[in-house]
Amino acid sequence: MKSLNPEIDGVTGSESNPMSTADPNSNRIQFGDRSANTDPDPGHAVQDIYEQIFGEPWSESSAANKLPPTMQGFVQNAAKQPPKNGDEELPPNRVPVYAELVKEFAVCDSWFASVPAATQPNRLYVHSATSYGMTNNDTGKLVGGLPQKTIFDSLDENGFSFGIYYQTLPITLFYRNLRKLKYIDNFHPFDSFKKHCKEGKLQNYVVIEPRYFDLLSNPANDDHPPHDVGEGQKLVKEVYEALRSSPQWKEILFVITYDEHGGFYDHVPTPVEGVPSPDDIVGPDPFKFKFDRLGVRVPAIIISPWIEPGKVLHNPLGPFPTSQYEHSSIAATVKKIYKLPQFLTKRDAWAATFDSLLTLSTPRTDCPEKLPEPAKLREVGAQEQAKLSEFQEELVQMAATLNGDHKKSIYPNKLVENMTALDAIKYIEDAFNTFLDECNKAKQSGVDGSQIVECADKNKSTPPNSKNFFQKLLSCIVCDP
């Protein structure tokens, strides 16, 4: 995007990494822009990101030495991963929806992942400013539900509304509190989003979840390798145009970001000083990570009719000298806008807010009503029969927790070992519908909505209309497979 706006701290094409950081005469690999698709996923586990950032493999002694972040280890680490198809950059003409939004609104060129680790720990920071000690995608903790307080809870406590629009299964259900019976009506199929936009009925805080499984009839639009990035562009276009045509447009602040860098190269050093641990929880062995440094930069586009066109959000000025933009900035900004009385953790108290972008005295009337049509970027069609990714397996296993299959002998490994994307979608839809049906029955029976919904029990012997059954059903979930 630097080619659209030179103020953006982006790549110039002169960047490179050595094949070996230990060899001063090593061949170097130049940055390129020939990519349409990258498969399989580049390395982005804790140890991979450590090597990418600091230029040498993780070890206890290396971590203790507190090396400076050189950003020179991406090629060296990539050489240890399975062979890949594709390079690492899509130029602006390949992602026209993003190009138009960057020109018309704002992009943050110093937004970092909250933790130098994998997908789910970073996603947890978006709404709770902590991963509760997780540095990897710990399936047992995820499907059982993470216990920390979320921005959803904070909003609800203070009389504000929220809505989660899902297309597969809402991964916000990885938070245990979101499984409370009283929150069930806050989840909506994505088809309802346009309707709510048109009617001016969007909630105070809205989350859009993409499709995570790639089907021929319904391609994935989450930009996860090897999914077609063109489908992700279509999703952003659809959401933007629904917001733009809504009577609530003048009240909108729309943020698009990614959970982590996915192993892709960046030249901007990761912040490693002055980053507070959110809750003083230390990660598991062998890394014993203290959550005191950030991950690699991720794209962040911020959209509102109150933002001047072509703005670039650089390093913040506070609230602390070391504050940065990272995923906790979302919760911090929501707290500031709605004047919520408490922070969630020490991390969102430290994170920079992006409300400083809202500089106009009156909303713009020249914001585009339509965005460019994105092109298909992947030659092959959806691989419906492909093996599930780790993330997709976690979604299936969470669905099993919601419908009671986690109590069976097939859980967890036999449940997913032969599943395809097509199988997984059907299973998840059936499981989530079972969960919603049981929740609705519980609500009708007058069960206390503040309780957390445990998995449905398909083999229950107690009649469905029995209040005693629902009191048992809604006991706090403690599943830890």
Side-chain angles (χ1 to χ4, degrees):
M1 294 297 173
K2 186 177 180 70
S3 62
L4 298 180
N5 186 343
E7 189 183 341
I8 297 172
D9 187 359
V11 290
T12 64
S14 64
E15 295 81 5
S16 66
N17 260 195
M19 289 291 294
S20 170
T21 58
D23 179 3
N25 299 314
S26 172
N27 290 334
R28 300 187 71 88
I29 303 299
Q30 291 294 129
F31 193 84
D33 65 354
R34 303 175 301 279
S35 178
N37 189 54
T38 302
D39 182 33
D41 219 2
H44 53 282
V46 174
Q47 64 274 23
D48 294 316
I49 300 173
Y50 185 90
E51 184 170 13
Q52 292 160 11
I53 291 174
F54 297 107
E56 65 175 68
W58 182 90
S59 66
E60 285 191 43
S61 59
S62 175
N65 288 336
K66 294 191 174 182
L67 302 171
T70 63
M71 313 306 282
Q72 290 293 296
F74 286 85
V75 168
Q76 177 174 285
N77 180 259
K80 300 175 181 179
Q81 309 296 331
K84 292 171 181 59
N85 299 314
D87 296 289
E88 295 194 351
E89 182 194 17
L90 287 167
N93 66 319
R94 306 291 298 278
V95 281
V97 172
Y98 281 174
E100 185 72 5
L101 292 174
V102 167
K103 287 189 293 185
E104 288 289 343
F105 299 101
V107 62
C108 181
D109 64 358
S110 56
W111 187 298
F112 296 89
S114 296
V115 57
T119 295
Q120 296 306 336
N122 276 293
R123 292 188 178 216
L124 291 167
Y125 269 83
V126 173
H127 306 299
S128 67
T130 179
S131 63
Y132 206 72
M134 278 180 50
T135 54
N136 60 4
N137 298 335
D138 187 319
T139 302
K141 289 182 179 179
L142 287 168
V143 300
L146 276 294
Q148 64 263 37
K149 185 174 181 177
T150 69
I151 195 66
F152 303 108
D153 298 307
S154 187
L155 286 163
D156 181 71
E157 290 168 359
N158 291 281
F160 295 99
S161 60
F162 68 87
I164 298 166
Y165 295 85
Y166 62 92
Q167 299 181 64
T168 306
L169 180 72
I171 64 167
T172 40
L173 286 172
F174 283 138
Y175 297 111
R176 188 184 300 173
N177 277 358
L178 266 290
R179 300 177 189 180
K180 287 180 179 177
L181 186 61
K182 69 174 183 175
Y183 289 153
I184 294 303
D185 290 339
N186 294 78
F187 293 92
H188 309 277
F190 182 69
D191 291 346
S192 300
F193 176 71
K194 283 186 178 180
K195 179 176 181 288
H196 290 171
C197 284
K198 186 176 181 179
E199 295 173 347
K201 293 182 178 179
L202 287 179
Q203 303 82 359
N204 295 121
Y205 182 51
V206 171
V207 177
I208 306 290
E209 296 206 29
R211 285 192 298 272
Y212 303 113
F213 292 86
D214 206 23
L215 305 183
L216 290 169
S217 59
N218 225 2
N221 54 17
D222 62 349
D223 280 2
H224 193 290
H227 301 157
D228 187 351
V229 173
E231 294 294 333
Q233 293 283 284
K234 288 180 184 177
L235 172 62
V236 174
K237 172 182 167 68
E238 186 177 3
V239 171
Y240 171 84
E241 291 176 359
L243 294 173
R244 179 65 180 87
S245 62
S246 172
Q248 292 175 289
W249 168 243
K250 293 180 182 179
E251 305 165 32
I252 294 295
L253 181 59
F254 175 31
V255 181
I256 305 165
T257 190
Y258 289 72
D259 50 69
E260 37 85 13
H261 74 303
F264 295 113
Y265 168 77
D266 190 25
H267 67 286
V268 174
T270 292
V272 296
E273 300 290 342
V275 180
S277 168
D279 40 26
D280 299 321
I281 299 175
V282 176
D285 293 338
F287 306 111
K288 295 184 174 66
F289 187 65
K290 295 181 180 179
F291 300 91
D292 55 358
R293 56 185 172 87
L294 299 180
V296 178
R297 284 193 311 174
V298 294
I301 300 172
I302 305 167
I303 298 152
S304 175
W306 298 89
I307 296 176
E308 296 177 46
K311 292 288 288 186
V312 182
L313 192 60
H314 299 300
N315 295 326
L317 300 176
F320 295 90
T322 60
S323 291
Q324 299 286 347
Y325 296 109
E326 52 111 324
H327 298 326
S328 302
S329 293
I330 293 177
T333 303
V334 170
K335 178 193 179 298
K336 187 174 181 180
I337 287 174
Y338 293 119
K339 298 180 174 60
L340 303 177
Q342 294 179 319
F343 289 104
L344 298 171
T345 70
K346 287 182 285 188
R347 183 63 72 85
D348 61 314
W350 168 86
T353 61
F354 46 87
D355 55 302
S356 59
L357 284 169
L358 308 174
T359 57
L360 297 177
S361 57
T362 57
R364 289 167 52 191
T365 58
D366 63 345
C367 303
E369 295 183 5
K370 300 290 183 183
L371 296 179
E373 290 292 336
K376 185 178 177 64
L377 293 178
R378 183 180 61 183
E379 294 181 6
V380 298
Q383 304 297 304
E384 293 183 338
Q385 304 303 318
K387 182 181 178 181
L388 300 183
S389 69
E390 178 188 46
F391 172 51
Q392 291 171 334
E393 288 184 356
E394 288 161 3
L395 290 180
V396 171
Q397 289 161 349
M398 180 170 68
T401 306
L402 297 177
N403 78 347
D405 280 350
H406 71 294
K407 297 178 179 178
K408 299 179 180 179
S409 61
I410 60 170
Y411 184 88
N413 295 330
K414 289 184 179 180
L415 177 66
V416 297
E417 65 182 357
N418 295 315
M419 255 192 192
T420 65
L422 206 56
D423 299 329
I425 281 289
K426 186 178 187 311
Y427 178 84
I428 285 173
E429 288 179 347
D430 289 347
F432 192 47
N433 285 335
T434 297
F435 174 75
L436 293 177
D437 288 345
E438 295 298 338
C439 289
N440 288 327
K441 291 176 185 176
K443 284 174 62 179
Q444 292 168 10
S445 75
V447 174
D448 180 2
S450 67
Q451 296 189 57
I452 294 172
V453 183
E454 193 176 3
C455 46
D457 186 353
K458 295 177 181 177
N459 299 315
K460 57 184 178 287
S461 57
T462 313
N465 60 356
S466 167
K467 189 168 183 178
N468 288 335
F469 163 70
F470 288 115
Q471 287 173 341
K472 294 175 183 176
L473 173 69
L474 295 171
S475 60
C476 184
I477 188 167
V478 291
C479 308
D480 191 11

